[in-house]
Amino acid sequence: MYGFEAMTFNIHGGYLEAIVRGHRSGLLTAADYNNLCQCETLDDIKMHLTATEYGPYLQNEPSPLHTTTIVEKCTLKLVDEYKHMLCQATEPMSTFLEYITYGHMIDNVVLIVTGTLHERDVQELLEKCHPLGMFDSIATLAVAQNMRELYRLVLVDTPLAPYFSECITSEDLDDMNIEIMRNTLYKAYLEDFYQFCQKLGGATAEIMSDLLAFEADRRAVNITINSIGTELTRDDRRKLYSSFGLLYPYGHEELAVCEDIDQVRGVMEKYPPYQPIFSKLSYGESQMLDKAFYEEEVKRLCLSFEQQFHYGVFFAYMRLKEQEIRNLMWISECVAQNQKSRVHDSVVFIF
Amino acid sequence: MELLKNLPEMDLMRSEKMTFVQLIIPVESAHRAVSYLGELGLLQFRDLNDDKSPFQRTFVNQVKRCAEMSRKLRFFKDQIHKAGLQSSALPTLQPDVDLEALETQLAEHEHELIEMNANSEKLQQTYNELLEFKIVLQKAGVFLVSGKSYDTAEGTELDDNVYPSDYPESASLLEQATQSGPPNSSGLRFISGIIPKSKILLFERMLFRATRGNLLFNQAPADELIMDPVSSEMVEKTVFVVFFSGEQAKTKILKICEAFGANCYPVPEDLTKQTQITQEVLSRLSELETTLDVGIRHRNAALHSIGFHLTLWMNMVKREKAVFDTLNMLNFDVTKKCLVGEGWCPIFAKPKIQEALQRATFDSNSQVGIIFHVMDAVESPPTYFRTNAFTNAYQEIVDAYGVAKYQEANPAVYTVITFPFLFAVMFGDWGHGICLLIGALILIAREGKLSSQKLGSFMEMLFGGRYVLLLMSLFSIYCGLIYNEFFSVPYHIFGDSAYKCRDDSCSDAYTVGLIKYRDAYPFGVDPSWRGSRSELPFLNSLKMKMSILFGVAQMNLGIMLSYFNSIFFNNSLDIRYQFVPQMIFLNSLFGYLSLLIIIKWCTGSQADLYHVMIYMFLSPFDDLGENELFWGQRPLQILLLLSALVAVPWMLFPKPFILRKLHTERFQGRAYGILRSSEIDTDSDPGSPRQHEEEFNFSEVFVHQMIHSIEFVLGSVSNTASYLRLWALSLAHSELSTVFYEKVLLLAWGYNNILIRMVGLAVFAFATAFILLMMETLSAFLHALRLHWVEFQNKFYGGDGYKFKPFSFAAIADDED
């Protein structure tokens, strides 16, 4: 019922939308970041953060603080908020919220599989996993030797199972395979999420298709840049691009044949929304691309809060919060390693 | 006028006179001075470092240390709570430890506790493992025995299995187990272990998948709960034994066990060995148990000794933190030897503050005294009322609407009586009043006990308003006596009724009515009205007129207060062009109505007041006819109507024009001077408030005045009508209680059945308690609140001040708990 969300949305979604908007106003502001960037030690950061929404999570930490503790606690807050929202959600919002975590699930699967491949301790790996992407049998991933086993043993129980249909091979797992698997999974995930949002319709579909298209395009660019100079064939590369987004399909054709970063740039500059991102970069530079993309993403995510009665705000909030945690991690690292001059390199202000 | 001026000053009427002060404190006595001021609690510091973030301030390290200490204290509290001990709040006679000593002491305690915890945790883990091992031995033994008979029949070799374990404590056991049987590369083997019950299903499924169904899975619930070392909760666990074949399957199964957090223990297949190991495990278990007990006792003793001082320490740290937070608000002067602070204090407190500062100088052996002097301030001072337990609740009622402007007339003075009274007008029933009174008295009698303990939010509210409740109940008893209602039943308290039936049968009492045979009932409503034909018309007319009288009286009081405000602030303009026309307007219309009501009551006239009021506007020159109440009523009405008409432009036009005239006059004489000086001034000090003082915008002022006048004119009609809620609620209350009394209690009593009577009584009691005593009280309270906030206070109350928040240890101790 496009355009009529206002009539019925609040029956199920009103409370949670209010909650998520409340959470959003708790995000750190530019003034907070300015203060944080001036901190001398991690204790200063802690002191500043205890005055924000993070207070209850950090105040009981004993004093020699580590970056990991800060990040862990901040993530814990995000997870608590997410769990609270998920508890309160009804269909189809609960499914929507679950979709948000699948990305982390894929990352976790890849992390564990790669880790076991390099014979790391499973417990250690588990600690590194993002708590949002945890599922019951995640530790069992270490048992699997190849993808077929991986699927049959563990993943068949998870929501990721359908995404595996494209990448089940009996090949042994190696780094390259895993990376391809990650991207195939991610592609399938994004396409599925996109379909789901289209099915929901209304403002949700409108806003989410925009956000997901951006995500898909960014992944396409990243895949291209990362695969330059590897043995990945053009066809394989094209297979990893999601089948929607602004670049689909003609941009993908062009990206698939790119041989260096400047060619990518040439392709992307044909698309007006991406022009400003690339125009900021000097030729041959790909370091700052991530930050430029992040900034653009944050801008788009913030805009989604301008409209009411849609689920996009939940997605946007989770992403913004993750960006905030990345920022905090970067600032804390810079402070901890006395690299204050680089503190602004990777911080993306949210407002 | 003289009399008014000579009245003693009323504390609550105007807020305390405040003054802006500056303190210049030598660094060495700063801490002591601030803590003495905190004990005194009469100085509100202004933050002079507003632009600095918290960690750029001077005393940030001390604040951090305090935060660290309070973290440790929270840790102790948590530990004490976990150990199930009571942190006794004994006021120990320990002398004030100084902060440094406390810090080291706390660090020691924390270190000790953490070490003890680590030890006991290690022991606990070992204990858990042994316990699990014991359970596995017991349960798995059963499977193995039954499996063995089966096994020998099959002729397959059954090997017990061994695998490395991470736990060094059980190493000795493992070694024994290792010798028991070397692993075989073929044949059926088994793994036994224990796993939390919640995971068992998933575990089994995973095993099944991993081995493609080539396994035998046996499980049995453990009899004892096992403590989870992380969350220290008791968890149900299940023992399992998996039989399988093949080396590859073994590694897989072991990996899965590890992934699921299942602890595997070797069980020797040999029965004698089994019993031997069981014996050993049991003996080690009992050993460990005693060790654990000793450890816990030791820890509890340590916690107990900490618990003694915990509250004291917590208070101390809280105070220290507050002191440093306040010190952070001060500025260093140029020489860096003194701290400069600014703040507000009431004038009466100046000697006390000075005395405290002197004491601080003396106690800290400082060479230089603390300089304390009054300064000019730009912003308006905070509002501070000295209230006591009784007046506080009423002040809160007013503050909830808005904190009074500095030195503005405080409506709380009148609210103390008018609020409970208007409440009671709506809640008049002396039966219900007595119930409320009992409640209020209980709260007041247990005041000492209740104020010291923590209450729920609802009880807190009730307790805070106990004196409001007391007066409300007393007034409802009074109003109830006037309405003559006791749970809606009238009583002959003050003598006999003035009415009686026409004949003995009383058959026509409800149709024709009663006759009056003696003087009126001395106090309140005659009980004979109840149930009579004319009960409602009589009560309605009474309560409606009464409401209008109260309303007009209270609104007049409000306008009078605006007069006192103008006198106090020397604002003759407001008296002449606001107060006087407002008085005239309100009283020529509704004051006149009140007069008519009183005359009608006194004379018993039959005149129709609606008619009088309506035709006063429609045709003021017509003859009043039978509605004339007194001689000369018509000319008076014409006069009043005219004065009301005059009053409207009077309050609308003159004030803005006069303001404009004053403004232009002020600037005419010194136009040149201003031009020059203002240029210099704006250059030198653009932030000075005196610069933008005179931004006179005529249209704005005029529109403002227009809104004000229209609001008043319309308001005087609508506000008077609004007071009719007194009648409406009072009617609703009495009708509701009549319904419950007649339709529930009397109906049930009509049956000669004890059960029905009991049910009826119960329903009546619940309805009375919940609907009449709770919900009706609430609604009457809210309506009384509205009458005060809107109808009364909009006549005079600005309410745009801010509260005085002194730096005080007492307040800090309060708001944390």
Side-chain angles (χ1 to χ4, degrees):
Chain A
M1 270 235 293
Y2 182 68
F4 292 94
E5 292 94 351
M7 269 166 36
T8 54
F9 184 87
N10 279 354
I11 299 172
H12 294 294
Y15 170 66
L16 282 174
E17 191 177 353
I19 291 274
V20 84
R21 281 174 191 275
H23 283 324
R24 189 200 85 125
S25 48
L27 290 175
L28 300 179
T29 57
D32 285 320
Y33 283 118
N34 280 336
N35 278 333
L36 284 171
C37 290
Q38 290 165 15
C39 287
E40 295 291 336
T41 63
L42 286 182
D43 277 339
D44 287 346
I45 290 182
K46 174 187 159 192
M47 192 169 155
H48 189 87
L49 285 181
T50 40
T52 64
E53 299 275 304
Y54 290 113
Y57 288 85
L58 280 170
Q59 68 176 7
N60 278 347
E61 286 309 306
S63 211
L65 215 56
H66 298 290
T67 317
T68 43
T69 337
I70 293 180
V71 173
E72 204 175 289
K73 292 292 161 187
C74 296
T75 316
L76 185 65
K77 179 167 185 290
L78 172 66
V79 173
D80 283 352
E81 284 167 2
Y82 172 78
K83 280 186 179 153
H84 176 76
M85 291 196 288
L86 190 63
C87 277
Q88 302 287 335
T90 52
E91 279 299 329
M93 199 199 288
S94 50
T95 313
F96 182 89
L97 287 175
E98 276 163 8
Y99 263 107
I100 296 176
T101 61
Y102 293 170
H104 293 294
M105 241 181 236
I106 295 172
D107 287 342
N108 284 353
V109 168
V110 172
L111 179 78
I112 300 260
V113 173
T114 330
T116 24
L117 207 62
H118 295 115
E119 297 184 340
R120 303 279 283 278
D121 182 33
V122 182
Q123 285 308 321
E124 193 184 312
L125 288 170
L126 281 179
E127 277 165 25
K128 282 189 190 153
C129 284
H130 197 287
L132 276 182
M134 286 302 214
F135 48 94
D136 277 338
S137 45
I138 189 162
T140 332
L141 284 172
V143 181
Q145 298 295 327
N146 57 37
M147 294 223 206
R148 191 178 293 280
E149 229 176 10
L150 196 69
Y151 174 71
R152 204 174 47 77
L153 261 183
V154 190
L155 294 174
V156 71
D157 278 340
T158 66
L160 298 183
Y163 308 150
F164 259 84
S165 53
E166 277 189 45
C167 58
I168 294 179
T169 53
S170 295
E171 283 176 63
D172 275 354
L173 293 167
D174 61 40
D175 281 346
M176 179 80 169
N177 272 338
I178 291 172
E179 206 47 46
I180 290 175
M181 176 183 87
R182 181 213 293 273
N183 284 310
T184 330
L185 283 180
Y186 222 99
K187 171 195 169 188
Y189 157 61
L190 281 179
E191 281 169 3
D192 190 29
F193 198 4
Y194 184 78
Q195 291 301 327
F196 176 73
C197 291
Q198 292 301 320
K199 209 171 73 198
L200 286 179
T204 307
E206 186 190 354
I207 285 166
M208 282 308 293
S209 63
D210 225 32
L211 294 175
L212 289 174
F214 179 78
E215 178 75 20
D217 292 344
R218 181 171 68 178
R219 288 197 78 82
V221 173
N222 280 342
I223 289 169
T224 314
I225 292 174
N226 289 337
S227 64
I228 288 170
T230 60
E231 58 209 66
L232 201 69
T233 62
R234 287 175 183 179
D235 281 343
D236 283 346
R237 196 193 277 179
R238 191 161 44 223
K239 266 191 216 152
L240 297 178
Y241 300 150
S242 310
S243 60
F244 64 98
L246 217 55
L247 299 177
Y248 177 77
Y250 304 111
H252 287 170
E253 297 292 334
E254 290 184 62
L255 275 184
V257 297
C258 285
E259 294 294 340
D260 61 46
I261 176 89
D262 286 335
Q263 284 179 19
V264 175
R265 185 191 177 110
V267 174
M268 294 306 283
E269 280 186 339
K270 288 181 194 159
Y271 291 87
Y274 299 115
Q275 250 172 11
I277 295 178
F278 280 87
S279 63
K280 279 186 218 157
L281 308 176
S282 50
Y283 275 87
E285 185 186 24
S286 63
Q287 305 291 325
M288 295 300 285
L289 188 64
D290 270 348
K291 193 188 176 191
F293 267 125
Y294 276 136
E295 273 170 0
E296 177 68 18
E297 188 191 10
V298 161
K299 203 161 45 177
R300 283 165 184 248
L301 292 173
C302 283
L303 280 178
S304 74
F305 278 90
E306 301 295 314
Q307 202 168 336
Q308 226 185 329
F309 307 129
H310 64 95
Y311 295 154
V313 284
F314 297 96
F315 179 79
Y317 172 69
M318 298 297 284
R319 283 298 169 93
L320 286 175
K321 197 81 181 171
E322 280 162 25
Q323 180 62 44
E324 182 175 293
I325 292 169
R326 271 197 296 271
N327 288 344
L328 283 177
M329 179 155 75
W330 179 261
I331 293 174
S332 320
E333 278 298 342
C334 286
V335 168
Q337 297 176 10
N338 262 330
Q339 298 277 325
K340 293 260 308 255
S341 53
R342 295 192 53 202
V343 98
H344 286 281
D345 283 3
S346 171
V347 173
V348 182
F349 289 168
I350 290 178
F351 297 112
Chain B
M1 226 10 89
E2 278 306 301
L3 183 79
L4 277 178
K5 275 179 186 152
N6 291 335
L7 281 177
E9 205 148 316
M10 221 188 314
D11 263 352
L12 210 53
M13 182 66 183
R14 309 261 172 215
S15 63
E16 290 297 331
K17 286 207 177 74
M18 307 298 274
T19 175
F20 194 69
V21 293
Q22 193 182 39
L23 298 161
I24 300 173
I25 317 172
V27 176
E28 63 267 25
S29 55
H31 182 267
R32 204 176 290 263
V34 170
S35 55
Y36 283 173
L37 287 176
E39 269 159 33
L40 195 61
L42 281 170
L43 184 65
Q44 174 179 359
F45 283 96
R46 208 174 63 158
D47 194 351
L48 298 175
N49 299 328
D50 223 3
D51 49 335
K52 286 190 191 164
S53 57
F55 49 84
Q56 287 169 331
R57 301 189 175 203
T58 327
F59 294 95
V60 58
N61 281 325
Q62 283 86 334
V63 172
K64 258 191 230 165
R65 269 167 57 199
C66 288
E68 179 69 18
M69 273 193 275
S70 55
R71 183 193 66 75
K72 279 175 188 152
L73 287 170
R74 276 199 300 273
F75 172 70
F76 294 152
K77 199 176 176 184
D78 192 44
Q79 289 290 318
I80 288 173
H81 184 73
K82 251 190 201 164
L85 295 173
Q86 290 289 321
S87 66
S88 51
L90 279 174
T92 39
L93 291 168
Q94 204 195 8
D96 263 6
V97 228
D98 80 302
L99 207 60
E100 316 279 318
L102 183 61
E103 198 174 9
T104 48
Q105 209 176 342
L106 286 184
E108 261 168 42
H109 280 307
E110 195 197 18
H111 186 71
E112 193 184 353
L113 258 184
I114 286 176
E115 202 162 297
M116 269 193 271
N117 277 350
N119 276 341
S120 74
E121 204 168 284
K122 229 185 263 169
L123 283 175
Q124 184 74 42
Q125 207 176 10
T126 325
Y127 178 78
N128 275 351
E129 269 157 26
L130 282 171
L131 190 66
E132 284 178 359
F133 193 18
K134 188 190 88 181
I135 295 169
V136 172
L137 276 173
Q138 283 169 352
K139 296 284 171 186
V142 178
F143 294 136
L144 290 183
V145 169
S146 60
K148 184 140 178 156
S149 53
Y150 173 77
D151 177 57
T152 37
E154 288 280 301
T156 331
E157 193 188 340
L158 182 70
D159 260 37
D160 50 323
N161 241 290
V162 190
Y163 8 85
S165 164
D166 306 329
Y167 312 120
E169 276 78 18
S170 49
S172 63
L173 291 166
L174 287 175
E175 273 159 37
Q176 290 172 9
T178 325
Q179 289 145 15
S180 64
N184 246 357
S185 53
S186 66
L188 197 62
R189 324 182 205 175
F190 71 92
I191 290 176
S192 54
I194 195 162
I195 188 170
K197 199 182 171 193
S198 53
K199 287 186 185 169
I200 186 85
L201 266 179
L202 211 58
F203 179 62
E204 189 179 349
R205 188 159 54 175
M206 193 59 66
L207 284 177
F208 187 84
R209 271 196 215 131
T211 57
R212 297 169 193 249
N214 295 325
L215 86 166
L216 195 66
F217 190 83
N218 266 321
Q219 52 168 311
D223 303 325
E224 291 165 70
L225 294 175
I226 292 160
M227 194 160 87
D228 184 22
V230 183
S231 61
S232 73
E233 269 173 34
M234 301 306 272
V235 191
E236 260 184 276
K237 290 203 167 186
T238 304
V239 175
F240 64 86
V241 180
V242 196
F243 297 93
F244 59 92
S245 68
E247 187 66 35
Q248 232 189 347
K250 182 188 146 195
T251 46
K252 263 190 196 165
I253 291 174
L254 279 179
K255 264 190 178 167
I256 291 173
C257 285
E258 193 190 346
F260 274 86
N263 299 329
C264 301
Y265 298 95
V267 179
E269 129 215 50
D270 191 1
L271 260 182
T272 50
K273 232 174 214 166
Q274 236 184 64
T275 44
Q276 188 193 337
I277 292 179
T278 316
Q279 286 300 329
E280 196 169 325
V281 168
L282 281 178
S283 72
R284 279 197 60 183
L285 259 180
S286 62
E287 258 171 53
L288 260 177
E289 219 160 314
T290 46
T291 334
L292 262 177
D293 268 359
V294 171
I296 286 173
R297 231 176 294 145
H298 185 57
R299 199 180 66 139
N300 283 359
L303 281 177
H304 200 68
S305 71
I306 293 172
F308 261 143
H309 310 299
L310 196 64
T311 10
L312 183 80
W313 286 345
M314 280 187 136
N315 266 332
M316 239 184 84
V317 171
K318 229 181 275 172
R319 279 165 167 233
E320 283 301 320
K321 185 160 184 292
V323 168
F324 285 117
D325 276 338
T326 311
L327 282 174
N328 271 336
M329 290 186 190
L330 309 184
N331 240 342
F332 267 110
D333 78 336
V334 199
T335 58
K336 293 262 173 200
K337 278 178 190 152
C338 292
L339 283 165
V340 180
E342 287 171 9
W344 291 101
C345 75
I347 284 182
F348 74 85
K350 261 166 56 184
K352 283 189 202 167
I353 291 173
Q354 246 149 357
E355 191 265 333
L357 293 177
Q358 257 161 25
R359 205 147 43 88
T361 318
F362 183 75
D363 286 354
S364 53
N365 292 325
S366 172
Q367 309 280 326
V368 197
I370 297 168
I371 300 168
F372 174 75
H373 62 95
V374 177
M375 290 212 321
D376 276 346
V378 178
E379 72 234 66
S380 98
T383 310
Y384 176 43
F385 293 108
R386 271 189 286 178
T387 54
N388 52 27
F390 183 78
T391 49
N392 188 40
Y394 298 96
Q395 187 66 54
E396 294 279 305
I397 287 177
V398 172
D399 284 352
Y401 174 80
V403 177
K405 209 158 59 190
Y406 178 61
Q407 295 254 295
E408 178 178 36
N410 181 12
V413 180
Y414 307 94
T415 307
V416 173
I417 295 302
T418 54
F419 184 84
F421 181 69
L422 288 188
F423 169 86
V425 170
M426 292 180 268
F427 196 74
D429 186 314
W430 60 282
H432 297 148
I434 287 172
C435 294
L436 279 191
L437 181 65
I438 292 169
L441 286 178
I442 289 174
L443 283 177
I444 291 169
R446 301 175 59 192
E447 193 174 56
K449 201 175 146 211
L450 286 175
S451 59
S452 61
Q453 75 193 47
K454 204 181 165 190
L455 304 163
S457 64
F458 184 71
M459 266 310 278
E460 182 103 48
M461 219 159 62
L462 217 57
F463 179 69
R466 60 197 181 280
Y467 288 109
V468 184
L469 212 57
L470 176 73
L471 282 196
M472 284 188 334
S473 60
L474 287 178
F475 279 114
S476 351
I477 293 172
Y478 170 72
C479 284
L481 287 174
I482 289 181
Y483 296 160
N484 206 344
E485 284 184 16
F486 177 83
F487 295 110
S488 82
V489 187
Y491 279 89
H492 298 265
I493 307 169
F494 304 100
D496 286 327
S497 166
Y499 298 91
K500 67 170 183 184
C501 298
R502 287 164 196 277
D503 49 35
D504 289 344
S505 67
C506 241
S507 54
D508 52 0
Y510 294 101
T511 48
V512 188
L514 302 161
I515 49 164
K516 189 172 179 180
Y517 75 106
R518 51 190 282 178
D519 282 345
Y521 191 67
F523 184 85
V525 174
D526 194 314
S528 291
W529 286 107
R530 151 76 47 181
S532 72
R533 194 168 48 95
S534 47
E535 180 198 3
L536 269 185
F538 169 71
L539 282 180
N540 283 349
S541 144
L542 170 76
K543 288 177 178 173
M544 202 188 316
K545 285 171 182 152
M546 200 176 67
S547 313
I548 289 176
L549 289 184
F550 289 144
V552 172
Q554 201 183 18
M555 287 192 291
N556 270 314
L557 175 65
I559 303 175
M560 282 305 291
L561 284 175
S562 82
Y563 168 75
F564 286 121
N565 266 344
S566 315
I567 291 273
F568 186 85
F569 293 116
N570 269 331
N571 197 345
S572 60
L573 206 66
D574 272 359
I575 298 178
R576 261 179 270 151
Y577 302 107
Q578 206 148 308
F579 166 69
V580 175
Q582 281 185 354
M583 263 328 230
I584 290 175
F585 185 82
L586 183 69
N587 286 315
S588 64
L589 300 182
F590 296 101
Y592 175 61
L593 177 62
S594 310
L595 181 76
L596 289 182
I597 289 171
I598 291 169
I599 291 176
K600 188 175 166 179
W601 274 350
C602 294
T603 60
S605 145
Q606 300 271 322
D608 183 1
L609 296 188
Y610 293 116
H611 194 272
V612 175
M613 284 310 285
I614 289 170
Y615 282 91
M616 176 173 163
F617 291 98
L618 292 185
S619 48
F621 302 106
D622 282 7
D623 195 36
L624 284 161
E626 60 179 4
N627 287 327
E628 181 156 349
L629 279 157
F630 53 89
W631 181 85
Q633 191 179 359
R634 200 172 51 158
L636 178 69
Q637 279 188 5
I638 294 169
L639 183 71
L640 288 176
L641 196 60
L642 280 178
S643 52
L645 286 179
V646 169
V648 176
W650 187 355
M651 65 179 111
L652 177 57
F653 293 113
K655 197 181 155 190
F657 286 101
I658 291 172
L659 279 177
R660 186 170 70 169
K661 198 170 145 234
L662 284 178
H663 180 76
T664 46
E665 268 172 12
R666 194 179 307 160
F667 280 88
Q668 240 162 19
R670 45 174 181 161
Y672 294 110
I674 291 263
L675 210 64
R676 206 175 334 133
S677 72
S678 72
E679 233 169 311
I680 298 161
D681 274 1
T682 38
D683 282 349
S684 62
D685 188 8
S688 162
R690 287 177 186 79
Q691 281 305 309
H692 40 77
E693 166 191 44
E694 300 292 338
E695 192 68 34
F696 190 82
N697 188 344
F698 178 71
S699 62
E700 202 173 291
V701 170
F702 189 78
V703 167
H704 194 78
Q705 185 68 19
M706 197 162 77
I707 292 171
H708 219 73
S709 311
I710 292 173
E711 197 195 331
F712 182 81
V713 171
L714 294 182
S716 62
V717 179
S718 68
N719 290 353
T720 311
S722 184
Y723 275 97
L724 289 177
R725 72 184 68 229
L726 292 176
W727 157 51
L729 264 99
S730 158
L731 178 73
H733 183 83
S734 86
E735 288 298 310
L736 210 58
S737 52
T738 310
V739 166
F740 287 132
Y741 176 71
E742 279 177 2
K743 299 293 170 204
V744 177
L745 194 62
L746 288 190
L747 193 75
W749 228 246
Y751 294 92
N752 205 0
N753 184 334
I754 186 82
L755 198 71
I756 295 180
R757 283 186 178 185
M758 290 315 286
V759 170
L761 195 63
V763 171
F764 176 72
F766 271 101
T768 305
F770 289 103
I771 298 181
L772 293 174
L773 284 178
M774 283 175 66
M775 286 172 54
E776 278 281 293
T777 311
L778 214 61
S779 85
F781 186 94
L782 287 178
H783 283 282
L785 206 60
R786 171 192 158 116
L787 286 178
H788 278 85
W789 280 354
V790 180
E791 273 75 27
F792 176 48
Q793 293 184 7
N794 75 1
K795 301 288 182 292
F796 66 98
Y797 191 55
D800 50 355
Y802 65 102
K803 252 188 178 164
F804 177 58
K805 285 201 194 77
F807 167 60
S808 144
F809 287 150
I812 293 163
D814 277 355
D815 65 28
E816 288 286 316
D817 298 329

